[in-house]
Amino acid sequence: MSGAAWAVVVGAALLLVLVAVLWASRTAALGRRVGSFGCLVGDGPDGPWARGVAQYGATCLYWWRRASLLPRPAQVWTRAGITVLERHVLEGEGASAGVVVRCRVTPERQGTAREVHLRMSPEAYAGFTSWIEATPSRVGTVI
């Protein structure tokens, strides 16, 4: 191989390593944030599921895709715009256990309300419902 071909191969390998390091760093940072929990998002109760991490904010629920390098969340739903319609407890051991929650959500950017299914652990569901129920009557206003 010529010197130029080796340079291309080495450059491509370095680029792959850089992307892997950035992804691992982003994934670790999302998992360490206060108020974050593993949450899968799907359009139906049986999926297909998109794996991600959700985080509670003062006025919004932020959701990041696990397999992404974007620095911003993929979905942002207003706290007042999340309505739990029903929940279904999944029986099983380990990763098969959990709760599937059907919600009506309103995007932060004045979008139309739609239904999504969130799959999370029972502990995350307890925190999620507590966070929704603890909504102040007027978030963001000065009294």
Side-chain angles (χ1 to χ4, degrees), residues 7-33:
V8 169
V9 169
V10 169
L14 287 175
L15 183 63
L16 283 173
V17 168
L18 177 65
V19 168
V21 167
L22 286 174
W23 181 79
S25 172
R26 177 184 174 276
T27 302
L30 287 174
R32 284 191 308 262
R33 289 184 174 188

Side-chain angles (χ1 to χ4, degrees), residues 53-135:
V53 174
Q55 180 189 11
Y56 307 119
T59 60
C60 296
L61 180 69
Y62 304 96
W63 183 78
W64 286 268
R65 287 186 185 281
R66 176 82 60 189
S68 174
L69 291 176
L70 291 177
R72 64 181 186 275
Q75 299 286 333
V76 179
W77 301 305
T78 62
R79 185 178 191 172
I82 298 174
T83 305
V84 175
L85 302 174
E86 70 177 321
R87 70 178 172 87
H88 176 71
V89 178
L90 301 173
E91 301 296 331
E93 295 290 324
S96 64
V99 179
V100 176
V101 185
R102 184 170 64 101
C103 298
R104 183 176 301 113
V105 295
T106 303
E108 180 187 38
R109 301 268 184 230
Q110 303 302 330
T112 58
R114 67 184 183 98
E115 284 189 11
V116 297
H117 290 76
L118 306 176
R119 183 173 174 178
M120 60 190 79
S121 70
E123 297 82 11
Y125 176 70
F128 177 69
T129 55
S130 296
W131 177 76
I132 290 173
E133 292 171 358
T135 304

